[in-house]
Amino acid sequence: MLLIPAIDLKDGQCVRLKQGDMDAATIFSNDPAAMAEHWLAQGARRLHLVDLNGAFAGKPKNEGAVKAILKAVNGRIPVQIGGGIRDLDTIERYLDDGIDYVIIGTAAVKNPGFLHDACGAFAGHVIVGLDAKEGKVATDGWSKLTGHEVIDLAQKFEDYGVEGVVYTDIGRDGMLSGVNIEATVKLAQALKVPVIASGGVSNVADIEALCAVQDEGIEAVICGRSIYTGALDLKSAQQRADELSA
């Protein structure tokens, strides 16, 4: 089980939101590149970046911070990014800059043809991000609930050739209320590609609970607020996950 630190970017700063609310942002650092270095030093094996301004604007808005992070990481670990990726040119630019995986969320739901094209053009680099509440997919920075069932959409996108699915229970994200294990397992069981859990990680018990079901196809978990507040120690939690996976 891979623990992936999240670096959420808003106005060039590293922040955390509660349930996607841009007005409820806590600033954790004015130097995202230094934050990336910090997580590397703590043993991170992958980083998860989110361009929050980009998610709302529909195009990248924190490219300066992203480039600074990539320069700091310098190819030592893979970096994935989501938020505002709506066209093939943006994907190409990110990959050229050194991003390993792009995460397509809202655009995949609203414009499946774009996701299909992206998987064809950039095979091996495209992950789909599905945000859900009570089994239904949400879009537009979680502000709109659709009628789509998560599993149905995920299976369709798997057929397109996505590398994996980041699954976020938006009722729990940033709330430190525990991962929705049941829903995550249900999704993983329905797919052949790996699922990355996201939303609600609060402590090492959540990591242990995910490790117990990782054989269902849950490959990693994104950690946000918990590692910034100190509720979860990234280094020791990753060591614990390694022990349980051995």
Side-chain angles (χ1 to χ4, degrees), residues 119-149:
C119 289
F122 306 106
H125 296 283
V126 179
I127 294 171
V128 70
L130 292 177
D131 304 328
K133 195 171 185 179
E134 288 154 18
K136 302 285 188 193
V137 174
T139 62
D140 298 281
W142 307 349
S143 59
K144 295 174 185 165
L145 268 182
T146 70
H148 298 294
E149 293 285 342

mmCIF file of all heavy atoms in Angstrom, residues 119-149:
data_model
loop_
_atom_site.group_PDB
_atom_site.id
_atom_site.type_symbol
_atom_site.label_atom_id
_atom_site.label_comp_id
_atom_site.label_asym_id
_atom_site.label_seq_id
_atom_site.Cartn_x
_atom_site.Cartn_y
_atom_site.Cartn_z
ATOM 1 N N CYS A 119 -6.439 8.780 -23.477
ATOM 2 C CA CYS A 119 -5.905 7.437 -23.242
ATOM 3 C C CYS A 119 -5.202 6.905 -24.495
ATOM 4 O O CYS A 119 -4.197 6.196 -24.398
ATOM 5 C CB CYS A 119 -7.018 6.477 -22.816
ATOM 6 S SG CYS A 119 -7.644 6.803 -21.161
ATOM 7 N N GLY A 120 -5.745 7.262 -25.651
ATOM 8 C CA GLY A 120 -5.129 6.827 -26.899
ATOM 9 C C GLY A 120 -3.820 7.543 -27.173
ATOM 10 O O GLY A 120 -2.824 6.942 -27.592
ATOM 11 N N ALA A 121 -3.798 8.850 -26.915
ATOM 12 C CA ALA A 121 -2.621 9.672 -27.221
ATOM 13 C C ALA A 121 -1.514 9.521 -26.183
ATOM 14 O O ALA A 121 -0.328 9.616 -26.515
ATOM 15 C CB ALA A 121 -3.033 11.137 -27.333
ATOM 16 N N PHE A 122 -1.903 9.297 -24.930
ATOM 17 C CA PHE A 122 -0.910 9.270 -23.843
ATOM 18 C C PHE A 122 -1.073 8.011 -22.996
ATOM 19 O O PHE A 122 -1.195 8.084 -21.767
ATOM 20 C CB PHE A 122 -1.052 10.528 -22.975
ATOM 21 C CG PHE A 122 -0.990 11.812 -23.756
ATOM 22 C CD1 PHE A 122 -2.145 12.555 -23.991
ATOM 23 C CD2 PHE A 122 0.204 12.266 -24.291
ATOM 24 C CE1 PHE A 122 -2.094 13.734 -24.728
ATOM 25 C CE2 PHE A 122 0.265 13.444 -25.032
ATOM 26 C CZ PHE A 122 -0.889 14.181 -25.260
ATOM 27 N N ALA A 123 -1.072 6.876 -23.669
ATOM 28 C CA ALA A 123 -1.276 5.592 -22.987
ATOM 29 C C ALA A 123 -0.272 5.424 -21.848
ATOM 30 O O ALA A 123 0.912 5.726 -21.992
ATOM 31 C CB ALA A 123 -1.127 4.448 -23.978
ATOM 32 N N GLY A 124 -0.784 4.979 -20.713
ATOM 33 C CA GLY A 124 0.082 4.746 -19.562
ATOM 34 C C GLY A 124 0.229 5.939 -18.647
ATOM 35 O O GLY A 124 0.841 5.837 -17.577
ATOM 36 N N HIS A 125 -0.327 7.080 -19.050
ATOM 37 C CA HIS A 125 -0.148 8.304 -18.255
ATOM 38 C C HIS A 125 -1.461 8.909 -17.749
ATOM 39 O O HIS A 125 -1.437 9.960 -17.122
ATOM 40 C CB HIS A 125 0.578 9.372 -19.083
ATOM 41 C CG HIS A 125 1.973 8.988 -19.469
ATOM 42 N ND1 HIS A 125 3.033 9.029 -18.587
ATOM 43 C CD2 HIS A 125 2.472 8.544 -20.646
ATOM 44 C CE1 HIS A 125 4.128 8.626 -19.209
ATOM 45 N NE2 HIS A 125 3.821 8.329 -20.448
ATOM 46 N N VAL A 126 -2.587 8.245 -18.055
ATOM 47 C CA VAL A 126 -3.881 8.855 -17.732
ATOM 48 C C VAL A 126 -4.610 8.072 -16.634
ATOM 49 O O VAL A 126 -4.847 6.870 -16.765
ATOM 50 C CB VAL A 126 -4.778 8.950 -18.987
ATOM 51 C CG1 VAL A 126 -6.132 9.564 -18.623
ATOM 52 C CG2 VAL A 126 -4.095 9.775 -20.081
ATOM 53 N N ILE A 127 -4.927 8.781 -15.563
ATOM 54 C CA ILE A 127 -5.714 8.225 -14.463
ATOM 55 C C ILE A 127 -7.030 8.998 -14.435
ATOM 56 O O ILE A 127 -7.055 10.196 -14.706
ATOM 57 C CB ILE A 127 -4.969 8.398 -13.122
ATOM 58 C CG1 ILE A 127 -3.687 7.565 -13.115
ATOM 59 C CG2 ILE A 127 -5.857 8.032 -11.930
ATOM 60 C CD1 ILE A 127 -2.769 7.836 -11.919
ATOM 61 N N VAL A 128 -8.120 8.318 -14.132
ATOM 62 C CA VAL A 128 -9.388 9.042 -14.022
ATOM 63 C C VAL A 128 -9.695 9.264 -12.546
ATOM 64 O O VAL A 128 -9.445 8.404 -11.702
ATOM 65 C CB VAL A 128 -10.543 8.306 -14.750
ATOM 66 C CG1 VAL A 128 -10.946 7.028 -14.047
ATOM 67 C CG2 VAL A 128 -11.736 9.226 -14.925
ATOM 68 N N GLY A 129 -10.175 10.447 -12.245
ATOM 69 C CA GLY A 129 -10.547 10.769 -10.871
ATOM 70 C C GLY A 129 -12.055 10.809 -10.740
ATOM 71 O O GLY A 129 -12.717 11.581 -11.433
ATOM 72 N N LEU A 130 -12.606 9.950 -9.905
ATOM 73 C CA LEU A 130 -14.058 9.928 -9.694
ATOM 74 C C LEU A 130 -14.371 10.325 -8.261
ATOM 75 O O LEU A 130 -13.915 9.693 -7.306
ATOM 76 C CB LEU A 130 -14.621 8.540 -10.007
ATOM 77 C CG LEU A 130 -14.564 8.127 -11.489
ATOM 78 C CD1 LEU A 130 -15.081 6.703 -11.666
ATOM 79 C CD2 LEU A 130 -15.367 9.088 -12.364
ATOM 80 N N ASP A 131 -15.101 11.407 -8.129
ATOM 81 C CA ASP A 131 -15.526 11.915 -6.825
ATOM 82 C C ASP A 131 -16.988 11.548 -6.655
ATOM 83 O O ASP A 131 -17.794 11.791 -7.553
ATOM 84 C CB ASP A 131 -15.379 13.434 -6.773
ATOM 85 C CG ASP A 131 -13.955 13.887 -7.098
ATOM 86 O OD1 ASP A 131 -13.018 13.129 -6.776
ATOM 87 O OD2 ASP A 131 -13.792 14.964 -7.680
ATOM 88 N N ALA A 132 -17.315 10.968 -5.517
ATOM 89 C CA ALA A 132 -18.692 10.486 -5.364
ATOM 90 C C ALA A 132 -19.248 10.725 -3.976
ATOM 91 O O ALA A 132 -18.526 10.838 -2.992
ATOM 92 C CB ALA A 132 -18.743 8.995 -5.678
ATOM 93 N N LYS A 133 -20.566 10.800 -3.962
ATOM 94 C CA LYS A 133 -21.303 10.907 -2.706
ATOM 95 C C LYS A 133 -22.456 9.923 -2.802
ATOM 96 O O LYS A 133 -23.241 9.978 -3.748
ATOM 97 C CB LYS A 133 -21.820 12.337 -2.534
ATOM 98 C CG LYS A 133 -22.281 12.660 -1.125
ATOM 99 C CD LYS A 133 -22.569 14.152 -1.012
ATOM 100 C CE LYS A 133 -22.902 14.510 0.415
ATOM 101 N NZ LYS A 133 -23.159 15.941 0.562
ATOM 102 N N GLU A 134 -22.504 8.997 -1.858
ATOM 103 C CA GLU A 134 -23.549 7.965 -1.845
ATOM 104 C C GLU A 134 -23.648 7.242 -3.189
ATOM 105 O O GLU A 134 -24.740 6.995 -3.704
ATOM 106 C CB GLU A 134 -24.888 8.593 -1.445
ATOM 107 C CG GLU A 134 -24.938 8.960 0.034
ATOM 108 C CD GLU A 134 -25.908 10.096 0.333
ATOM 109 O OE1 GLU A 134 -26.771 10.362 -0.520
ATOM 110 O OE2 GLU A 134 -25.791 10.707 1.403
ATOM 111 N N GLY A 135 -22.476 6.941 -3.765
ATOM 112 C CA GLY A 135 -22.439 6.140 -4.991
ATOM 113 C C GLY A 135 -22.637 6.889 -6.281
ATOM 114 O O GLY A 135 -22.487 6.340 -7.370
ATOM 115 N N LYS A 136 -22.976 8.173 -6.197
ATOM 116 C CA LYS A 136 -23.195 8.986 -7.403
ATOM 117 C C LYS A 136 -21.999 9.906 -7.635
ATOM 118 O O LYS A 136 -21.430 10.454 -6.688
ATOM 119 C CB LYS A 136 -24.452 9.860 -7.259
ATOM 120 C CG LYS A 136 -25.729 9.073 -6.997
ATOM 121 C CD LYS A 136 -26.242 8.388 -8.229
ATOM 122 C CE LYS A 136 -27.625 7.783 -7.955
ATOM 123 N NZ LYS A 136 -28.048 6.857 -9.002
ATOM 124 N N VAL A 137 -21.652 10.089 -8.899
ATOM 125 C CA VAL A 137 -20.492 10.901 -9.255
ATOM 126 C C VAL A 137 -20.811 12.395 -9.187
ATOM 127 O O VAL A 137 -21.882 12.826 -9.613
ATOM 128 C CB VAL A 137 -20.011 10.531 -10.678
ATOM 129 C CG1 VAL A 137 -18.896 11.464 -11.147
ATOM 130 C CG2 VAL A 137 -19.524 9.080 -10.703
ATOM 131 N N ALA A 138 -19.852 13.165 -8.644
ATOM 132 C CA ALA A 138 -19.978 14.627 -8.584
ATOM 133 C C ALA A 138 -18.942 15.261 -9.504
ATOM 134 O O ALA A 138 -17.881 14.685 -9.755
ATOM 135 C CB ALA A 138 -19.782 15.119 -7.157
ATOM 136 N N THR A 139 -19.247 16.454 -9.993
ATOM 137 C CA THR A 139 -18.327 17.159 -10.896
ATOM 138 C C THR A 139 -18.176 18.619 -10.443
ATOM 139 O O THR A 139 -18.811 19.060 -9.494
ATOM 140 C CB THR A 139 -18.841 17.148 -12.350
ATOM 141 O OG1 THR A 139 -20.107 17.836 -12.399
ATOM 142 C CG2 THR A 139 -18.997 15.745 -12.895
ATOM 143 N N ASP A 140 -17.339 19.337 -11.198
ATOM 144 C CA ASP A 140 -17.166 20.786 -10.991
ATOM 145 C C ASP A 140 -16.774 21.140 -9.562
ATOM 146 O O ASP A 140 -17.449 21.895 -8.880
ATOM 147 C CB ASP A 140 -18.453 21.543 -11.370
ATOM 148 C CG ASP A 140 -18.789 21.366 -12.836
ATOM 149 O OD1 ASP A 140 -18.156 22.050 -13.653
ATOM 150 O OD2 ASP A 140 -19.636 20.521 -13.163
ATOM 151 N N GLY A 141 -15.626 20.564 -9.145
ATOM 152 C CA GLY A 141 -15.177 20.855 -7.797
ATOM 153 C C GLY A 141 -16.195 20.420 -6.761
ATOM 154 O O GLY A 141 -16.355 21.059 -5.726
ATOM 155 N N TRP A 142 -16.906 19.322 -7.103
ATOM 156 C CA TRP A 142 -17.888 18.685 -6.206
ATOM 157 C C TRP A 142 -19.175 19.467 -6.061
ATOM 158 O O TRP A 142 -20.039 19.119 -5.254
ATOM 159 C CB TRP A 142 -17.318 18.428 -4.812
ATOM 160 C CG TRP A 142 -16.043 17.679 -4.806
ATOM 161 C CD1 TRP A 142 -15.462 17.040 -5.854
ATOM 162 C CD2 TRP A 142 -15.172 17.477 -3.701
ATOM 163 N NE1 TRP A 142 -14.293 16.461 -5.471
ATOM 164 C CE2 TRP A 142 -14.092 16.717 -4.156
ATOM 165 C CE3 TRP A 142 -15.215 17.871 -2.371
ATOM 166 C CZ2 TRP A 142 -13.042 16.339 -3.325
ATOM 167 C CZ3 TRP A 142 -14.175 17.496 -1.545
ATOM 168 C CH2 TRP A 142 -13.109 16.733 -2.009
ATOM 169 N N SER A 143 -19.340 20.528 -6.822
ATOM 170 C CA SER A 143 -20.529 21.356 -6.628
ATOM 171 C C SER A 143 -21.772 20.763 -7.282
ATOM 172 O O SER A 143 -22.890 21.149 -6.962
ATOM 173 C CB SER A 143 -20.274 22.764 -7.171
ATOM 174 O OG SER A 143 -19.943 22.719 -8.545
ATOM 175 N N LYS A 144 -21.588 19.810 -8.210
ATOM 176 C CA LYS A 144 -22.743 19.241 -8.900
ATOM 177 C C LYS A 144 -22.754 17.720 -8.795
ATOM 178 O O LYS A 144 -21.787 17.056 -9.150
ATOM 179 C CB LYS A 144 -22.711 19.637 -10.383
ATOM 180 C CG LYS A 144 -22.875 21.139 -10.600
ATOM 181 C CD LYS A 144 -22.703 21.521 -12.052
ATOM 182 C CE LYS A 144 -22.739 23.040 -12.208
ATOM 183 N NZ LYS A 144 -22.242 23.469 -13.517
ATOM 184 N N LEU A 145 -23.878 17.187 -8.336
ATOM 185 C CA LEU A 145 -24.045 15.730 -8.303
ATOM 186 C C LEU A 145 -24.708 15.283 -9.595
ATOM 187 O O LEU A 145 -25.692 15.879 -10.029
ATOM 188 C CB LEU A 145 -24.925 15.310 -7.127
ATOM 189 C CG LEU A 145 -24.248 14.963 -5.797
ATOM 190 C CD1 LEU A 145 -25.284 14.533 -4.771
ATOM 191 C CD2 LEU A 145 -23.214 13.858 -5.965
ATOM 192 N N THR A 146 -24.172 14.243 -10.208
ATOM 193 C CA THR A 146 -24.759 13.709 -11.446
ATOM 194 C C THR A 146 -25.587 12.475 -11.102
ATOM 195 O O THR A 146 -25.604 12.013 -9.967
ATOM 196 C CB THR A 146 -23.659 13.290 -12.444
ATOM 197 O OG1 THR A 146 -23.003 12.112 -11.929
ATOM 198 C CG2 THR A 146 -22.632 14.402 -12.640
ATOM 199 N N GLY A 147 -26.231 11.935 -12.110
ATOM 200 C CA GLY A 147 -27.006 10.709 -11.897
ATOM 201 C C GLY A 147 -26.189 9.460 -12.166
ATOM 202 O O GLY A 147 -26.690 8.345 -12.069
ATOM 203 N N HIS A 148 -24.904 9.636 -12.501
ATOM 204 C CA HIS A 148 -24.061 8.491 -12.870
ATOM 205 C C HIS A 148 -23.650 7.657 -11.657
ATOM 206 O O HIS A 148 -23.226 8.203 -10.645
ATOM 207 C CB HIS A 148 -22.783 8.957 -13.565
ATOM 208 C CG HIS A 148 -23.007 9.681 -14.845
ATOM 209 N ND1 HIS A 148 -23.531 9.075 -15.963
ATOM 210 C CD2 HIS A 148 -22.757 10.970 -15.194
ATOM 211 C CE1 HIS A 148 -23.608 9.962 -16.953
ATOM 212 N NE2 HIS A 148 -23.147 11.125 -16.512
ATOM 213 N N GLU A 149 -23.749 6.347 -11.804
ATOM 214 C CA GLU A 149 -23.241 5.444 -10.773
ATOM 215 C C GLU A 149 -21.717 5.328 -10.949
ATOM 216 O O GLU A 149 -21.223 5.177 -12.070
ATOM 217 C CB GLU A 149 -23.865 4.049 -10.918
ATOM 218 C CG GLU A 149 -25.356 4.002 -10.636
ATOM 219 C CD GLU A 149 -25.679 4.100 -9.148
ATOM 220 O OE1 GLU A 149 -24.779 3.865 -8.321
ATOM 221 O OE2 GLU A 149 -26.836 4.428 -8.819
#
